[in-house]
Amino acid sequence: MTSKSTPVNTVGTVALLKNVASCMAAMARLQDRGPGRSGIGVFYGFSGYGKSYAAIYVQNKTRAAMVEVGESWTKKDFLKKVCIELNVDTKGSISELTDRIIGTLSDDDRPLIIDEADKCCDKGFIEIVREIQMFSGASVLLIGEEKLPAKLAQTERVDNRVLHREAAQPCDLEDARALARLLTPVEISDELLEHVRSQSGGRARRIVHNLDLITEFARNQGFQSMGIADFGGSLYTGVTPAARRAG
């Protein structure tokens, strides 16, 4: 076992991740906006960058209502889910539900976070999000994939109300260290962490998965610290294995 491993397992927190800080900053920008300014923000990026994890952190810090749009949802499904999050009646027409949401957000001064917001665009009910924000004055943060800004741009009235756009970034070594501190008792060298980060494509979700693999390997081998020369397992890269030929 290498003697050059750099211990990184001190007390850590998800708040140290840069995308969490960026998501929190995006919400703060909305909540601190001046009078008369629109209140829609967009936090976007590739799958696996940790956007949803960041959104949950922001939800907990700001008392925001939060929904993750489902693939099968209709406009009314969306409104009902928001009503559930706001703890208000889910019965009524689309216009009644919309008015109820607007009134509740306005009275409670709560932000609204919409994860998987791409689906609002794809299913044709992003305009109702604009209506909710415009008449409630609430801060509305849309979380979505890399193409979300382009999808919003197709609906000019919505795009014009976007105050701030923040792009999620791939994890760097510092992020990988923070995840290691949070998730594994094994002391992992910077060299191995950088290898994990690179093989994971900077995607937080894959880094977490690979940290689990390293932890399991270390447990089986009796290691308490790991350098790159110590790890004899394989890492998850997201690349689909080539099809096998029958013997």
Side-chain angles (χ1 to χ4, degrees), residues 110-123:
R110 293 178 67 186
L112 174 62
I113 300 174
I114 303 174
D115 198 5
E116 301 288 345
D118 306 72
K119 296 185 178 73
C120 295
C121 300
D122 298 340
K123 295 173 178 295

Side-chain angles (χ1 to χ4, degrees), residues 7 49 63 104 122 137 214 220:
Y49 275 14
R63 202 174 57 90
T104 304
D122 298 340
I214 289 174
N220 292 337

Side-chain angles (χ1 to χ4, degrees), residues 17-79:
L17 297 179
K18 291 180 179 61
N19 281 335
V20 173
S22 294
C23 190
M24 192 71 206
M27 178 61 83
R29 179 82 174 270
L30 299 178
Q31 293 185 298
D32 295 341
R33 70 189 187 276
R37 303 198 70 185
S38 58
I40 295 178
V42 183
F43 185 60
Y44 66 98
F46 293 104
S47 175
Y49 275 14
K51 301 184 303 296
S52 296
Y53 206 57
I56 292 170
Y57 180 88
V58 174
Q59 177 194 21
N60 292 333
K61 286 291 185 180
T62 63
R63 202 174 57 90
M66 179 171 166
V67 294
E68 180 177 332
V69 183
E71 187 65 42
S72 63
W73 286 13
T74 63
K75 183 187 296 185
K76 194 164 188 178
D77 291 330
F78 167 72
L79 293 170

Side-chain angles (χ1 to χ4, degrees), residues 12-14 16-17 173-183 193:
T13 170
V14 69
L16 295 175
L17 297 179
L173 178 58
E174 188 176 348
D175 288 326
R177 289 193 195 109
L179 287 169
R181 285 195 295 267
L182 186 68
L183 298 172
L193 279 174

Side-chain angles (χ1 to χ4, degrees), residues 154-173:
Q154 295 175 12
T155 308
E156 185 177 4
R157 292 203 303 175
V158 177
D159 193 52
N160 286 342
R161 296 197 68 82
V162 175
L163 175 67
H164 182 65
R165 298 168 181 83
E166 187 78 31
Q169 301 297 325
C171 289
D172 59 14
L173 178 58

Side-chain angles (χ1 to χ4, degrees), residues 214-233:
I214 289 174
T215 302
E216 183 180 5
F217 181 88
R219 185 183 300 118
N220 292 337
Q221 299 297 321
F223 290 167
Q224 293 184 329
S225 61
M226 294 279 295
I228 195 166
D230 303 315
F231 183 59

Side-chain angles (χ1 to χ4, degrees), residues 117-222:
D118 306 72
K119 296 185 178 73
C120 295
C121 300
D122 298 340
K123 295 173 178 295
F125 53 83
I126 192 64
E127 275 279 12
I128 207 163
V129 174
R130 179 195 63 82
E131 182 181 349
I132 288 169
Q133 192 287 313
M134 183 172 64
F135 289 109
S136 70
S139 299
V140 177
L141 183 60
L142 306 179
I143 312 288
E145 298 297 316
E146 184 73 9
K147 293 181 180 179
L148 177 57
K151 290 182 178 182
L152 291 171
Q154 295 175 12
T155 308
E156 185 177 4
R157 292 203 303 175
V158 177
D159 193 52
N160 286 342
R161 296 197 68 82
V162 175
L163 175 67
H164 182 65
R165 298 168 181 83
E166 187 78 31
Q169 301 297 325
C171 289
D172 59 14
L173 178 58
E174 188 176 348
D175 288 326
R177 289 193 195 109
L179 287 169
R181 285 195 295 267
L182 186 68
L183 298 172
T184 177
V186 181
E187 296 177 356
I188 304 176
S189 73
D190 277 356
E191 187 179 15
L192 179 53
L193 279 174
E194 175 56 29
H195 180 62
V196 167
R197 189 206 65 78
S198 176
Q199 291 296 300
S200 302
R203 285 167 161 79
R205 189 178 302 142
R206 293 180 190 170
I207 291 173
V208 169
H209 180 64
N210 284 322
L211 288 172
D212 287 343
L213 293 177
I214 289 174
T215 302
E216 183 180 5
F217 181 88
R219 185 183 300 118
N220 292 337
Q221 299 297 321

